[in-house]
Amino acid sequence: MTEAVFRLENAWHPIEGDPAGGLIFSLINLTDQPMRDFKLAYTTLTRVKSAPVVENAVFIKRNANFHQFAAPAGFVLPPGGVWRFTVQGLWRSAKHRTDGAKSAYITLADGQHVPVAVDDLMLEGRHSEAAPALLPKGEAKQPFSLLPWPKASNLTAGDDIPVAIFPADGTDLADLKAMQGVNLLYRRLFSVAHVPFSHVGVQQGVPLAFIADETFTAEAYSLTFGEHISMRYGDAAGRHYGLTALAQLLHGARLDPAQFRFPASGVINDAPRYNWRGCHLDVSRQFFPTPDVTRLLDIMAWLRLNVFHWHLSDDEAWRLEIKAYPQLTSVGVLRGPDEPMLPQLGNGAEPVGGFYSQDDVRAIVAHAAALHIAVLPEIDIPGHSTAILTALPELVDGQEAPESYHSVQGYPNNALNPAIEQTYAFLAQVFDEMVALFPSKLIHVGGDEVANNTWMASPLAKALMEKEGLDGTFGLQSYFMKRIQKMLADRGRQLAGWDEVSHGGGVDADGTLLMAWQKPEVGVALAEQGYDVVMTPGQAYYLDMVQDEAWQEPGASWAGTVPPKHTYHYEAVGEFPDALKVKMRGVQACIWTENFLNRDYFNHLVFPRLAAVAEAAWTPKDNKDWSRFLAIAPLVPKL
């Protein structure tokens, strides 16, 4: 990567009469040459409107989060000099240091692109509060390291820590393989720690007897402690969770013996609160290489989460190899100054791409299956489809004005047109290849954030509306989704989507799973319409949300402030009347990655809140304890 020889400082300031305030930019020339006839581009989520008020610069264009300005005619930026310009006319106020420019570059008169260093947004005209300590010190009143905490337990702490746990005589091959599987998981998560299980008897070890019990549900297990340990389990998943619990108990006692002990006697009887215990990852906005994805799966397994929702496409990129349409992962992933799609969300002068080959997908799905995690793939349609339409321009109604509508993120004409038959031929091939890759009975098809004037300037869409008696954008969306639902059913799959799939008449609720993200009461409304629901409201379970109101605390804020304590205590099912609770399948954390430019940022935002969602998904409400959680959460591995 070329070293940046320019620096962009940016600050937000309040403006009387304009609640959105304004941005101040200062470009510093660190070269020994004067600069003239150049343009500055930057990406930010604090977007400008179509006609911003600009001082000392010329506004050129905006595309979603991409902004470009030119220096005034005749302006020369000398070595060591500063070009300062201001922008007013923002869609929203900046609230945190991560609301400023995420990347920048200069385009010279000869077309060369030069990187520009940029850091967090500063604050002018108001006090900039420092980020506080987010987590107080916890206390484990019961000295056992288990997260999530079990359904029921009655344990007595021992004075000794076993060197290892080994199989009792007569243990069969399947149980031995299960022990090895958890050893391998443990070694990947804690590379310098002593593995919890030995496969032969060891001095100072404790024997473990396995008992399959048909009276247990599949994910249930029990552990009885004494001179030996016995485990009962319902199925392979229950056995895996029981072994993971033993590994956690031993790990905590070894790592922090002042707080945690290994049980000398007693019983754990455990089973999950919800069948759906999910974690979503957006890999479209920022690409995560396969080793990072498998690392996240390992962390999920450690926390007994069992659904990985893989968000594989969005406006910013299409990440899944489809052999019938190679342009999806040649054209539809490239962002850069001279690439098919402009830089977004932290991209600068260097082009970026990245996708998962079908071999990558098979490896990730197999890794997840070995950890008893189901992979739910998502391609986000009909909205959020800029990458698709860039790669496949034949799916555009050529009679429609190029910018007849914009998404909430500012992308022009970004939705697949339900009136173009080739759209369905394309999706049929995509679904055929997805079905071969993903065993999941559900395929998530997005359905969110279609702007309410979408397709209204498309002659083809208007003709379809008249022919089918459809009412506006959401009538068209419902028509589209019903066809998609039938296409999935023809392939033995069922439809999952975001809550907006219900708009305009929705789809057949039988077998459909919708995720309530906009606000908690949406989940109840979906259940009343007959849909099965997973609760993932942004106000509690979106892990990109800021954790404190202080300016210097990083994160997004459209859903409000989501401190770890709120994520931990939020009770999703509490919104549901008793008659509808059966429709609430479970809960899910969502990791949206617009702001996630590095691993430390990821870990700061995701942990310990992912563990908080895991405990909400597994542990009965009356067994939750915030102070105990705070004591154990630091032991959870990070990405």
Side-chain angles (χ1 to χ4, degrees), residues 208-555:
L208 169 63
F210 294 86
I211 306 164
D213 192 328
E214 294 181 355
T215 67
F216 280 35
T217 58
E219 295 185 303
Y221 70 91
S222 72
L223 293 166
T224 303
F225 296 87
E227 292 185 3
H228 70 278
I229 303 168
S230 65
M231 177 197 297
R232 292 183 177 272
Y233 61 90
D235 207 337
R239 176 177 57 198
H240 177 80
Y241 298 145
L243 288 168
T244 304
L246 285 172
Q248 286 187 352
L249 286 165
L250 195 51
H251 180 70
R254 289 170 173 171
L255 203 65
D256 189 358
Q259 278 201 98
F260 302 112
R261 312 278 281 281
F262 193 82
S265 62
V267 177
I268 294 172
N269 288 308
D270 204 6
R273 183 180 186 184
Y274 298 122
N275 291 330
W276 190 287
R277 307 181 301 281
C279 176
H280 154 287
L281 179 66
D282 163 23
V283 298
S284 179
R285 275 57 178 264
Q286 311 292 345
F287 181 67
F288 290 74
T290 295
D292 287 350
V293 176
T294 55
R295 171 77 178 184
L296 180 61
L297 289 167
D298 287 342
I299 295 167
M300 288 175 59
W302 189 247
L303 296 171
R304 298 196 273 288
L305 294 165
N306 69 340
V307 179
F308 175 53
H309 177 172
W310 201 4
H311 187 84
L312 288 161
S313 78
D314 215 296
D315 288 304
E316 290 81 3
W318 175 285
R319 302 294 190 188
L320 173 64
E321 180 189 19
I322 299 296
K323 294 186 180 296
Y325 293 96
Q327 57 270 52
L328 286 170
T329 46
S330 57
V331 176
V333 298
L334 291 176
R335 303 196 299 253
D338 300 315
E339 300 301 336
M341 293 184 290
L342 289 169
Q344 301 286 350
L345 301 169
N347 311 138
E350 300 286 339
V352 298
F355 67 93
Y356 303 97
S357 71
Q358 294 198 359
D359 284 343
D360 292 332
V361 171
R362 291 185 189 97
I364 287 168
V365 169
H367 189 89
L371 299 170
H372 303 279
I373 296 171
V375 178
L376 173 68
E378 178 187 355
I379 56 165
D380 202 346
I381 54 175
H384 288 285
S385 293
T386 297
I388 300 173
L389 296 171
T390 301
L392 303 172
E394 62 269 27
L395 301 183
V396 174
D397 181 355
Q399 305 172 83
E400 184 178 11
E403 297 204 22
S404 58
Y405 65 89
H406 290 80
S407 74
V408 67
Q409 289 85 11
Y411 285 96
N413 293 27
N414 73 329
L416 296 178
N417 194 319
I420 296 176
E421 279 302 310
Q422 197 170 347
T423 295
Y424 303 100
F426 157 67
L427 290 172
Q429 186 63 50
V430 169
F431 291 145
D432 285 343
E433 296 194 31
M434 290 181 72
V435 164
L437 290 170
F438 297 99
S440 171
K441 290 298 181 185
L442 289 165
I443 290 181
H444 199 294
V445 293
D448 61 313
E449 293 187 326
V450 175
N452 63 12
N453 61 336
T454 299
W455 308 305
M456 292 300 96
S458 162
L460 292 175
K462 287 183 176 180
L464 179 63
M465 290 167 63
E466 184 174 348
K467 177 185 175 184
E468 298 289 339
L470 304 174
D471 184 16
T473 292
F474 298 124
L476 281 166
Q477 179 175 333
S478 178
Y479 169 88
F480 174 85
M481 282 296 175
K482 286 172 180 174
R483 288 191 64 172
I484 297 304
Q485 185 174 48
K486 184 178 186 307
M487 292 170 67
L488 292 176
D490 290 345
R491 291 160 175 80
R493 297 297 190 267
Q494 295 174 318
L495 184 149
W498 302 107
D499 55 55
E500 296 100 318
V501 168
S502 64
H503 288 181
V507 299
D508 184 355
D510 186 26
T512 298
L513 179 73
L514 298 186
M515 296 182 174
W517 69 273
Q518 295 187 72
K519 49 187 177 180
E521 51 266 39
V522 169
V524 177
L526 293 173
E528 288 172 342
Q529 296 171 56
Y531 294 106
D532 285 343
V533 181
V534 169
M535 292 296 288
T536 180
Q539 296 80 5
Y541 290 162
Y542 270 34
L543 304 189
D544 58 321
M545 289 299 112
V546 73
Q547 299 177 86
D548 189 87
E549 294 182 2
W551 176 268
Q552 294 177 37
E553 180 63 27

Side-chain angles (χ1 to χ4, degrees), residues 20-239:
L23 294 172
I24 304 167
F25 292 96
S26 300
L27 179 70
I28 302 99
N29 180 4
L30 299 175
T31 74
D32 57 4
Q33 299 294 322
M35 302 297 300
R36 56 174 55 86
D37 299 327
F38 61 88
K39 302 171 185 175
L40 171 70
Y42 65 84
T43 68
T44 180
L45 289 162
T46 305
R47 297 177 282 266
V48 303
K49 296 180 180 179
S50 57
V53 176
V54 182
E55 292 186 7
N56 201 33
V58 178
F59 175 62
I60 300 175
K61 65 180 175 183
R62 175 177 78 87
N63 180 282
N65 310 284
F66 174 88
H67 300 69
Q68 191 173 45
F69 295 81
F75 176 81
V76 177
L77 180 60
V82 179
W83 170 39
R84 186 177 186 272
F85 67 96
T86 63
V87 179
Q88 184 180 353
L90 309 177
W91 278 109
R92 63 177 182 86
S93 168
K95 295 184 178 180
H96 297 275
R97 63 181 174 90
T98 44
D99 285 336
K102 298 193 175 304
S103 59
Y105 66 90
I106 289 172
T107 301
L108 304 179
D110 63 1
Q112 179 185 355
H113 306 295
V114 181
V116 173
V118 62
D119 284 307
D120 289 336
L121 187 66
M122 298 296 181
L123 179 61
E124 293 192 4
R126 207 177 73 206
H127 179 65
S128 178
E129 305 94 343
L134 293 170
L135 300 173
K137 183 176 175 58
E139 179 185 0
K141 295 175 183 177
Q142 299 179 65
F144 305 106
S145 174
L146 282 169
L147 203 166
W149 195 255
K151 180 178 180 179
S153 61
N154 185 5
L155 301 172
T156 300
D159 294 325
D160 299 322
I161 302 172
V163 168
I165 298 166
F166 60 88
D169 291 344
T171 299
D172 68 22
L173 180 60
D175 295 331
L176 294 173
K177 287 183 175 180
M179 293 179 75
Q180 174 66 353
V182 175
N183 261 355
L184 293 173
L185 169 64
Y186 186 85
R187 173 61 71 230
R188 294 191 299 268
L189 292 174
F190 309 104
S191 57
V192 300
H194 191 299
V195 293
F197 303 109
S198 169
H199 278 66
V200 297
V202 293
Q203 186 176 343
Q204 295 176 257
V206 179
L208 169 63
F210 294 86
I211 306 164
D213 192 328
E214 294 181 355
T215 67
F216 280 35
T217 58
E219 295 185 303
Y221 70 91
S222 72
L223 293 166
T224 303
F225 296 87
E227 292 185 3
H228 70 278
I229 303 168
S230 65
M231 177 197 297
R232 292 183 177 272
Y233 61 90
D235 207 337
R239 176 177 57 198

